[in-house]
C-alpha cells in the first residue's frame, strides 16, 4: 500500500520523506490556500514537485473542458511526477479522456459513488479518489464505497489505482489496507498517529529506567 500525504505544507512533506515512508502527495485548492502566505501557487507547487520523488496530484481550478485541459497541460510541463486532479462531472470526464490520450496522468477527484468510479476508469484516469470522510460526515459508510470500487475494478481488470481520500483517522488507513486500496492519502496528523502508541512510549520509558540499573 502506498502512503501519500494530503497537504501542501513543505515542512510536513520533508518530515515524512525523512522518515522514509512517503510515496507521493495530493493537494487541492483548499490545502494550497492554507499555505498561500508562504508563496504564490506556482512557487508552492514547483517546490513540492521538486522535493517529492513520487507522484504529486495538483488540482485544476477551471470547471469547463477547455480551461481544465489548458491548466493541465501547463501543470504537466512542471515535472514528470505531476498528476492532474480533475473533478468528477461531464466536463471532467471529457478532460480526463483527452488528457489520458495525450499521455498526461490524471486523478479523478470528488468521487462519492461506485458508478462515478466506473466512469473514471472508463475514460482512462490513472487514479480515482473516493472521499471516505465526507461520506462518513453525512452518515454514509465511506469505506463501503472503496470496497465496492475495489471489487468492480478487479472484476473488469481496470488499471485505475484507488486513492482513499478525505481520511480522518488511522482506522481509515488500516481499513483501506484490508480492502486492498492502492493508496491512502492522509493529513500529516494521521500519519503521526500511525506511528504513536502509549504502550510504545511506556515501554521505552521502562527500558530506559531499567537500563540505569545495568553496570556497563
Ligand atoms: O484532497 C482531497 C481530500 O482528501 C480532502 O479531504 O478532509 O477536506 O474531506 P477533506
Amino acid at each position: 500500500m502506498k502512503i501519500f500525504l494530503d497537504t501542501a505544507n513543505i515542512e510536513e512533506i520533508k518530515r515524512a520523506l525523512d522518515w522514509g515512508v512517503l510515496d507521493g502527495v495530493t493537494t487541492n485548492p483548499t490545502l494550497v490556500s492554507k499555505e498561500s502566505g508562504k508563496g504564490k501557487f506556482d512557487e508552492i507547487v514547483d517546490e513540492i514537485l521538486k522535493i517529492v520523488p513520487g507522484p504529486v496530484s495538483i488540482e485544476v481550478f477551471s470547471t469547463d473542458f477547455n480551461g481544465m485541459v489548458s491548466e493541465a497541460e501547463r501543470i504537466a510541463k512542471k515535472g514528470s511526477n505531476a498528476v492532474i486532479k480533475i473533478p468528477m462531472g461531464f466536463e471532467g470526464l471529457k478532460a480526463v479522456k483527452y488528457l489520458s490520450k495525450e499521455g498526461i496522468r490524471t486523478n479523478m477527484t470528488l468521487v462519492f459513488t461506485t458508478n462515478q468510479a466506473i466512469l473514471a476508469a472508463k475514460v482512462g484516469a490513472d487514479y480515482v479518489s473516493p472521499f471516505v470522510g465526507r461520506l462518513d460526515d453525512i452518515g454514509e459508510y465511506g469505506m463501503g464505497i472503496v470496497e465496492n470500487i475495489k471489487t468492480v475494478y478487479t472484476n473488469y481488470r481496470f488499471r485505475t489505482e484507488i486513492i482513499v481520500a478525505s481520511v480522518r483517522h488511522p482506522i481509515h488507513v488500516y481499513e483501506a489496507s484490508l480492502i486492498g486500496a492502492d493508496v491512502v492519502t492522509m493529513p500529516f496528523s494521521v500519519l503521526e498517529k500511525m506511528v504513536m502508541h502509549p504502550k510504545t512510549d511506556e515501554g521505552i520509558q521502562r527500558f530506559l529506567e531499567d537500563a540505569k540499573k545495568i553496570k556497563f
Side-chain angles (χ1 to χ4, degrees), residues 68-84:
M68 285 192 268
V69 166
S70 73
E71 268 188 69
E73 287 170 339
R74 190 180 76 83
I75 296 167
K77 285 191 192 114
K78 287 177 173 290
S80 57
N81 54 342
V83 175
I84 314 302

Side-chain angles (χ1 to χ4, degrees), residues 27 36 155:
T27 66
S36 59
N155 287 349

Side-chain angles (χ1 to χ4, degrees), residues 6-7 26-28 30-31 59 85 109-110 129-131 133-134 137 164-168 185-187:
D6 199 24
T7 187
T26 54
T27 66
N28 61 38
T30 307
L31 295 169
E59 191 157 343
K85 229 171 160 185
T109 190
L110 286 165
S129 291
F131 278 28
R134 291 195 198 181
D137 289 344
V164 177
S166 185
V167 162
R168 300 273 190 265
T185 189
M186 64 194 79

Side-chain angles (χ1 to χ4, degrees), residues 15-71:
R15 286 186 66 195
L17 281 171
D18 203 34
W19 298 337
V21 296
L22 193 68
D23 298 301
V25 166
T26 54
T27 66
N28 61 38
T30 307
L31 295 169
V32 178
S33 74
K34 284 186 194 161
E35 306 302 318
S36 59
K38 296 171 193 160
K40 292 189 178 147
F41 174 81
D42 278 286
E43 291 163 0
I44 296 167
V45 165
D46 289 346
E47 177 72 1
I48 299 173
L49 286 166
K50 195 174 81 185
I51 63 173
V52 178
V56 177
S57 287
I58 301 139
E59 191 157 343
V60 295
F61 293 87
S62 302
T63 51
D64 63 298
F65 172 80
N66 288 328
M68 285 192 268
V69 166
S70 73
E71 268 188 69

Side-chain angles (χ1 to χ4, degrees), residues 83-147:
V83 175
I84 314 302
K85 229 171 160 185
I86 305 273
M88 169 53 68
F90 300 109
E91 297 289 294
L93 286 167
K94 262 168 64 181
V96 169
K97 178 87 184 173
Y98 180 89
L99 294 168
S100 86
K101 278 192 181 155
E102 271 200 331
I104 293 176
R105 287 193 292 164
T106 55
N107 170 359
M108 186 129 243
T109 190
L110 286 165
V111 166
F112 293 93
T113 69
T114 311
N115 282 341
Q116 288 178 325
I118 292 170
L119 297 174
K122 291 285 288 179
V123 290
D126 295 271
Y127 299 97
V128 67
S129 291
F131 278 28
V132 295
R134 291 195 198 181
L135 282 169
D136 291 352
D137 289 344
I138 57 162
E140 288 187 40
Y141 178 49
M143 205 53 74
I145 301 297
V146 176
E147 214 166 337

